[in-house]
Amino acid sequence: MSVDGWKTILVLGGIRSGKSEFAESLVTDAPVVRYVATAPEGDPEDTEWATRLAAHRARRPGSWTTEETAGEPRRLADVLASAEPNETLLVDDLGGWVTVLLDPDHQPADDLATIAELAEAIRTCPARVVLVSPEVGLSLVPTTPLGRAFTDALGAANRAVADACDAVVLVVAGQPAWLKPAASAPTAATTATAPTAAATVAASVGSAPVRPVDAEPTPEVQLPDVLTHTPPVAPNQEPGNPWAAPTMALPMVATGLVIQPGMELPMPDEYAGPQAVDRLATLDVPGAGLGVLDRVVGFAAATQGTSTPLAWGSVRVLLLHGDHAGGASAGTVAGESARRAAQARAGQGALARLAAESGASLQVVDTPAAAPMEHEPALTPEQVESALRYGWRLAEQAADAGVQLLVLGACGAGTEAAAAAVLAATAGAEPPAVLGRVITDSGEIDDAAWMIRCAAVRDALHRTRSSPRGAKDILSELGGGDVAVATGVLLGATARRVPVLLDGPVGLAAGMVSRDLAGQARHWCLLADHGGHPAARLAADVLGLTPLLDLRLDLGEGANALVALPLLRSVLALAAALPVHPSLAGDAALDEPESPATDPDDTEPDDTEPDHAAEPDFVEPEPAGPGPTSTAPDEQPASGWRAG
């Protein structure tokens, strides 16, 4: 199923009711859309009909493909049967299909059998399908035999297709009325006006393939609360208000996604990034410019789709908490990761305080605990599917809330060893080369724990030496819940065009796994600092992510990125606000402003006013752009920024 519990939907409506526009809006953000045109070209001299067809073609984005089935009505069922799971088919419309079906060139034929074949093809189609059809029965019975045959056949087709579809909506005067809700009733946003309804629905409809029709429904887990904290007062200040209470997460509908290899997700703008970097060379700065931080500007420009990107205003931190049993967690104190997670929920500790200082919201996510990978799979295949969908939903929730940047963090026991195992399986690394030293709470190096971790990874790789090396297989055998959820977050964020700031082995291991599911995901990731971690270094090199900084911070995965966030925001704000250097702005910028005309006889000072000629004016600078403080999505400047 897809958003609101449906995978196939029938959109009914009268002539000029807006049914086609509503159907098109449902698939606006789908990565792969095939438009199936059923209507014949018609009489070449019928200019009105040609104008209608031209208007339909003009509304279709250039990325859509078109397939014609007017020549043979039975071919529509074949098109549905041969569709790929990652496709979205928009069939417009069944009225034209019935017209061709009744054409004398295709008679005699069993029209009811052909309609039944179409209904069965809809039920078994692996792709998402949106069908458009005119509603019959709202006017008088036709007076001609051909007109009655058409209404009878179209009515039979509408009934059969409506029975086969998961949802049916009737569009009247541009307003959708849901006739057949699926398992979960449509939300208020879904039943708004046609264009607005699509904005909410289509963002997830086009995100990924959906569960096959015969699959058992999977109960969705409630998403965790989104915590918004305020910075603590400094010790020398008067105590103010206590930490703000957490705000509840926005309600999310069940997506029921099936995530599989080879998904076609969006790519950042390939032109905006280079244009933004070239623009930096023209800015009025006294020195050589931003240095290596120009990559931040290029990344933000590509992900925002503009050569003048804005600083990220709304930021959300996702802290993934999931432990790994067995030798992977050697050297860790029992219950320490749970304490860190509870500390973050309470607004305490390094991560929560840095998030508060940056105005970022915080979401602590509990992920499935992983079994000892040296003895058995870390997760079952069902747990992997659920974790991937859960991570995707987290990204969708953030995008719907207007989040402009996600920061991925983790605090589970044994995450370093799990990430090392994933790297060894995907990049052929040796476990000792990617496992960092184990540091105890007292600051001492625990070599014995490090050797146990190496042995656990080695034994897990030996156990799975004959197992497939697909993305889901690696997550099941080695990765665990936190890496699986992180992978889902990266894929969901990519589908919704939300950049992700990575920080540590879990996020980078998820990036390695996501390559086989959607190669576009890595292009939406930014690495602030590898922290000196060997696994992070190798993964960054394989993914083509060059760290912006080399601070060697070790404050915990996620906290290190938050330390760098104010600097990255300042770079973007500066790049957006600085003017072009006068030497490049033309001769007009070099002209001195003319002095205002004065009366030559008026040379005596006015005794009634004080003389301030010798005192310089003080001009308070205005902020150049969004600073470290988070603002609401509707307060962000509109130019160049895409609402999530």
Side-chain angles (χ1 to χ4, degrees):
M1 298 298 179
S2 185
V3 173
D4 293 328
W6 59 264
K7 179 171 79 80
T8 54
I9 183 171
L10 173 63
V11 180
L12 298 170
I15 298 174
R16 298 297 190 185
S17 62
K19 60 183 183 297
S20 292
E21 290 89 339
F22 180 83
E24 291 166 6
S25 70
L26 293 178
V27 301
T28 300
D29 291 339
V32 180
V33 178
R34 185 159 30 138
Y35 187 97
V36 182
T38 62
E41 289 293 337
D43 187 350
E45 297 182 358
D46 189 348
T47 57
E48 190 272 338
W49 179 251
T51 302
R52 285 175 180 253
L53 293 180
H56 275 261
R57 295 189 182 102
R59 288 201 306 265
R60 303 173 203 166
S63 59
W64 291 9
T65 59
T66 301
E67 185 154 352
E68 306 278 351
T69 63
E72 173 53 58
R74 291 178 178 80
R75 185 165 171 269
L76 179 57
D78 297 335
V79 171
L80 294 172
S82 61
E84 297 294 331
N86 64 328
E87 283 188 295
T88 297
L89 301 186
L90 175 56
V91 181
D92 193 359
D93 70 0
L94 294 183
W97 180 76
V98 169
T99 300
V100 177
L101 181 64
L102 298 179
D103 191 289
D105 292 341
H106 301 290
Q107 298 296 329
D110 189 345
D111 299 336
L112 294 180
T114 305
I115 292 172
E117 291 175 4
L118 174 63
E120 183 60 26
I122 294 171
R123 289 189 180 93
T124 59
C125 181
R128 295 176 303 281
V129 183
V130 178
L131 302 105
V132 182
S133 183
E135 174 54 23
V136 295
L138 300 180
S139 61
L140 298 176
V141 176
T143 59
T144 63
L146 183 59
R148 289 192 294 272
F150 175 80
T151 55
D152 290 345
L154 183 58
N158 284 349
R159 290 196 303 272
V161 171
D163 183 67
C165 286
D166 300 319
V168 180
V169 59
L170 174 65
V171 179
V172 181
Q175 307 302 309
W178 293 88
L179 306 180
K180 182 184 177 182
S184 59
T187 61
T190 309
T191 56
T193 59
T196 306
T200 301
V201 178
S204 298
V205 170
S207 299
V210 292
R211 181 189 303 120
V213 177
D214 57 352
E216 291 295 328
T218 303
E220 297 292 351
V221 182
Q222 180 65 35
L223 296 177
D225 295 347
V226 178
L227 310 176
T228 304
H229 298 297
T230 55
V233 296
N236 59 347
Q237 293 179 343
E238 293 295 328
N241 294 329
W243 290 88
T247 57
M248 294 301 294
L250 295 177
M252 293 292 294
V253 296
T255 58
L257 300 165
V258 166
I259 299 173
Q260 61 184 12
M263 292 187 296
E264 292 293 333
L265 299 182
M267 281 284 289
D269 192 318
E270 62 178 318
Y271 301 107
Q275 289 171 356
V277 175
D278 292 342
R279 177 179 170 273
L280 294 178
T282 67
L283 299 183
D284 187 10
V285 293
L290 298 175
V292 297
L293 293 179
D294 62 358
R295 294 199 299 267
V296 180
V297 180
F299 173 81
T303 53
Q304 294 179 25
T306 174
S307 59
T308 54
L310 302 177
W312 302 296
S314 179
V315 179
R316 177 169 297 178
V317 183
L318 297 178
L319 179 63
L320 308 182
H321 169 233
D323 291 339
H324 298 255
S329 59
T332 59
V333 179
E336 177 65 11
S337 64
R339 185 183 73 85
R340 294 291 184 190
Q343 190 181 53
R345 287 190 178 96
Q348 301 171 359
L351 181 81
R353 291 180 179 269
L354 287 169
E357 292 290 348
S358 299
S361 60
L362 172 62
Q363 202 168 11
V364 182
V365 182
D366 290 319
T367 65
M373 60 180 171
E374 62 267 38
H375 302 307
E376 57 184 304
L379 295 177
T380 65
E382 293 76 17
Q383 287 178 309
V384 171
E385 295 286 354
S386 178
L388 287 171
R389 291 196 300 269
Y390 190 62
W392 191 297
R393 292 175 60 212
L394 289 168
E396 283 192 330
Q397 182 196 41
D400 291 338
V403 171
Q404 299 162 354
L405 178 70
L406 284 172
V407 178
L408 206 52
C411 66
T415 56
E416 295 87 352
V422 170
L423 280 173
T426 56
E430 290 293 331
V434 292
L435 268 172
R437 308 298 292 269
V438 179
I439 308 297
T440 64
D441 292 338
S442 59
E444 298 178 350
I445 296 177
D446 190 343
D447 286 333
W450 179 80
M451 288 188 285
I452 294 175
R453 294 185 185 186
C454 288
V457 176
R458 178 203 61 196
D459 293 345
L461 294 173
H462 180 75
R463 179 182 62 80
T464 61
R465 63 191 182 279
S466 300
S467 301
R469 283 292 187 256
K472 293 183 180 179
D473 302 308
I474 292 174
L475 291 174
S476 175
E477 296 287 353
L478 308 171
D482 48 2
V483 179
V485 171
T487 303
V489 169
L490 294 184
L491 296 173
T494 300
R496 297 300 298 272
R497 301 177 183 272
V498 178
V500 182
L501 188 58
L502 299 181
D503 177 22
V506 170
L508 286 164
M512 295 290 294
V513 175
S514 68
R515 291 185 309 164
D516 293 336
L517 297 172
Q520 303 85 359
R522 68 183 182 91
H523 296 282
W524 293 87
C525 297
L526 184 67
L527 180 62
D529 190 351
H530 56 59
H533 197 288
R537 281 182 170 180
L538 175 61
D541 184 60
V542 174
L543 294 173
L545 302 177
T546 303
L548 300 170
L549 307 172
D550 189 10
L551 302 179
R552 307 265 176 161
L553 295 175
D554 194 10
L555 298 173
E557 187 164 352
N560 304 322
L562 289 175
V563 171
L565 181 59
L567 173 62
L568 307 185
R569 276 172 159 169
S570 298
V571 167
L572 293 176
L574 189 65
L578 284 177
V580 175
H581 194 278
S583 64
L584 301 175
D587 296 337
L590 299 177
D591 295 339
E592 293 293 335
E594 296 181 1
S595 301
T598 58
D599 186 352
D601 295 332
D602 188 13
T603 57
E604 295 296 328
D606 189 351
D607 295 336
T608 61
E609 296 292 338
D611 186 6
H612 297 288
E615 297 179 9
D617 292 336
F618 175 77
V619 180
E620 183 173 353
E622 296 180 356
T629 303
S630 177
T631 57
D634 58 356
E635 295 174 353
Q636 296 299 320
S639 62
W641 187 259
R642 170 194 51 77

